[in-house]
Structures are given as structure tokens and as C-alpha cells.
Amino acid sequence: MQKAKIFTLFAVVILTWGSTWLAMKFALVSMPPIFATGLRFLSAAPLLLWMLNTTRSSLLFPQGHRFFQFCVFLFCYCLPFTLVLYGEQYVDASTAAIIFAVIPVAVLLISIVLLNTPTSLLQLMGSMLALLSLFCILQEEARVSLSNNWKGGLAVVLAVFMHAFMYVLCKKRSCQVSLFTFNTLPCLAAGLLLTLTGAIVEKPILGNITWLSFASIIYLGTVASVFGILCYSSLQKRISTFSTSLVFICFPVITVILECLVMDSVFTPTSWILLAVMLGGVFLSLIPVKKRKRVPMTQQQWN
């Protein structure tokens, strides 16, 4: 029974995260990126507020972590999600998902710098393999699409490293708060700020917003942002960090398959091979470092 629950949670997470990138693409059909990102967070906020109240969690971070809560609002919500939607104006949904799959590699590299995290040669080799393969995939997709998509790719890469940096910084600060405390206020504040900014700067015409874009925003806010996070958090409590991280290897494959089926996109055989190599590199970077056992000094060792 427990294995069935774990399998179900894992399947739900990869299907949810895998479909998120197509939903973003559909949202952009009739909405500009900043306005769409704001509406996404506004649609998620009521559900988060209800769960915050139900679990009796605090709205604010503890004293001493309030500035960090502002950083979460800015670098976990406002900037990275806007960059992703901006990027998807120039790159395919599958390309954006593939870039995001290297988050474990980014976390590893930033952890080495900020936390002096022990690492292995295998992890470093996997990280380099993943990054090199990602670069080759971007080159291949740019060649096939015959478009100048470097802007979109760069925007998504920046979003990846923002998320990874904030994850490592949270670990460094040992900021222990509930899932709802971490997400609710930053999500609500980002929703209000980005919706207002988008309305002023981008001037969207509300009458032109299609039902497809509107439904995509609701899906992104409630299913992808809230339900997806809850399922992933529940999965983390049941299996190891290594096993949970395998989600990052599976969801881009789902995105590629969905995009090929729904949007009649073509993912070349070369890109499939490069994707397999890249995900293999990500897998190697996730393999935990074995802790060396301390050998007690015997009488012979002293002599």
C-alpha cells in the first residue's frame, strides 16, 4: 500500500510539472508575461491562505528572517517566474523544461561554493556532462527552429540559478518554517505587484484574453503551484532525497512527449540522444557522497 502511494505521488508530480510548461505556453497566447505571472500567483493565493489558516501556520517568517522572506518574494517568485514566461515567448515548452531539469546541478555547484559541501568526482563529472549536453541541446533546437532563441534560453537559465541560489541560501540560514509560511505571503505579494505592474506597463486588453489562457492561469496557480508543491513535499517525507530528486529527470521527458502530441512539435533524434545524456549527467550529480567512517587510532597506529 505504501509503495502504491509513493508511486502515485511520484506520477502525479512528474505529470503536473511536465504539463506546467505547456500551460505557460497557452497562457501566453493572449496575455503578456508579467501580467500572466501576477494572475497565476493571485489564483494560488486564496488556496494558500486557506491552508495557512487551517494548519495555523504563521504568515510571517520568525524574527531575524523577515528580510529573507522579502528575498523569497523577489527571487523565488517575482523574478524567476516572470523570466520563465518571458523565455517561453522565444523557446519551446520542452526546451524550458529541459533547462529547468538542471536545477540539481545548479544546487550542487552553488552548495560547493557557499556551503563547502563535500562532493565526489562522479558528481562533478555528471554536472559537467549535464551542462555540456544542455548547451548542445540548445544549439540543436536553435538549428532546427531556425530562430534566434538565445534570449529565451538565457532568461530560463537565470531563473534556474535564482531558484537554486535561494534553495542553498535557505539551507545555509537554517530557516525552518512551514511550507505554507514559506509560500503564502511571497506568493500573494508577488501576485499583487506583478498584476499591477503588468497592467500598467504591458497594458493587456482584457477582452482579448481567451478562455484557453484563462484556464491555463488557473491550472498553473492551483494545480501546478499549490497541488504540485504539496505532492512533492509529501513525497519528500516518504522517500530519500536522492529518490525524490529523480523527479527532475522524469518531468522534462513528459513535457517533450506532451508537446509533440499536443502541438505537433518535432523533437529530433539527435535531441533525444542529447537529452538522455544530459539526464544521465543529472542522475550522476544526484548520487550522494558516501561518508567516510572514522577509523579509531589503535596502539599500533600510535607506534
Side-chain angles (χ1 to χ4, degrees), residues 22-275:
L22 276 179
M24 291 182 190
K25 205 74 173 177
F26 293 147
L28 290 171
V29 168
S30 60
M31 290 188 197
I34 298 176
F35 187 73
T37 306
L39 287 183
R40 171 183 181 171
F41 294 148
L42 281 183
S43 67
L47 188 55
L48 286 172
L49 284 167
W50 177 74
M51 290 181 173
L52 184 85
N53 182 63
T54 301
T55 57
R56 297 183 180 180
S57 301
S58 172
L59 185 65
L60 297 174
F61 280 27
Q63 289 286 348
H65 293 284
R66 301 282 168 81
F67 178 73
F68 182 65
Q69 188 173 24
F70 173 77
C71 292
V72 171
F73 149 76
L74 190 61
F75 296 109
C76 284
Y77 278 90
C78 283
L79 292 178
F81 283 97
T82 303
L83 283 170
V84 169
L85 273 177
Y86 170 81
E88 283 210 41
Q89 294 179 117
Y90 300 95
V91 299
D92 294 334
S94 56
T95 302
I98 289 167
I99 294 173
F100 240 80
V102 300
I103 272 192
V105 172
V107 168
L108 174 65
L109 297 178
I110 295 172
S111 297
I112 293 172
V113 176
L114 293 186
L115 304 180
N116 197 24
T117 301
T119 187
S120 66
L121 180 60
L122 189 64
Q123 286 180 321
L124 293 175
M125 288 176 61
S127 299
M128 294 304 105
L129 181 63
L131 294 177
L132 180 60
S133 301
L134 174 62
F135 177 77
C136 293
I137 290 173
L138 295 178
Q139 289 289 98
E140 173 68 12
E141 290 302 296
R143 182 188 65 80
V144 173
S145 62
L146 300 176
S147 62
N148 185 18
N149 61 3
W150 65 268
K151 289 182 181 179
L154 180 60
V156 181
V157 167
L158 287 174
V160 165
F161 276 90
M162 279 186 192
H163 273 296
F165 180 80
M166 289 302 297
Y167 175 83
V168 175
L169 197 60
C170 189
K171 189 175 180 180
K172 182 179 181 180
R173 292 177 62 91
S174 299
C175 184
Q176 300 294 328
V177 296
S178 77
L179 180 68
F180 304 114
T181 299
F182 188 89
N183 288 285
T184 302
L185 185 57
C187 179
L188 176 60
L192 293 171
L193 177 64
L194 292 176
T195 303
L196 181 61
T197 302
I200 295 172
V201 176
E202 297 172 326
K203 296 180 173 59
I205 301 174
L206 298 182
N208 290 344
I209 295 177
T210 65
W211 279 106
L212 176 62
S213 292
F214 182 75
S216 298
I217 288 296
I218 300 300
Y219 177 81
L220 287 168
T222 56
V223 179
S225 294
V226 180
F227 184 66
I229 290 174
L230 286 174
C231 288
Y232 185 73
S233 177
S234 180
L235 192 63
Q236 285 180 311
K237 295 175 183 178
R238 287 174 166 81
I239 57 178
S240 67
T241 302
F242 170 74
S243 299
T244 308
S245 298
L246 295 180
V247 165
F248 290 93
I249 295 176
C250 298
F251 82 78
V253 177
I254 299 296
T255 305
V256 174
I257 294 172
L258 286 176
E259 190 170 49
C260 291
L261 292 174
V262 176
M263 304 185 73
D264 292 327
S265 298
V266 177
F267 203 67
T268 67
T270 302
S271 293
W272 274 114
I273 293 170
L274 289 171
L275 177 60

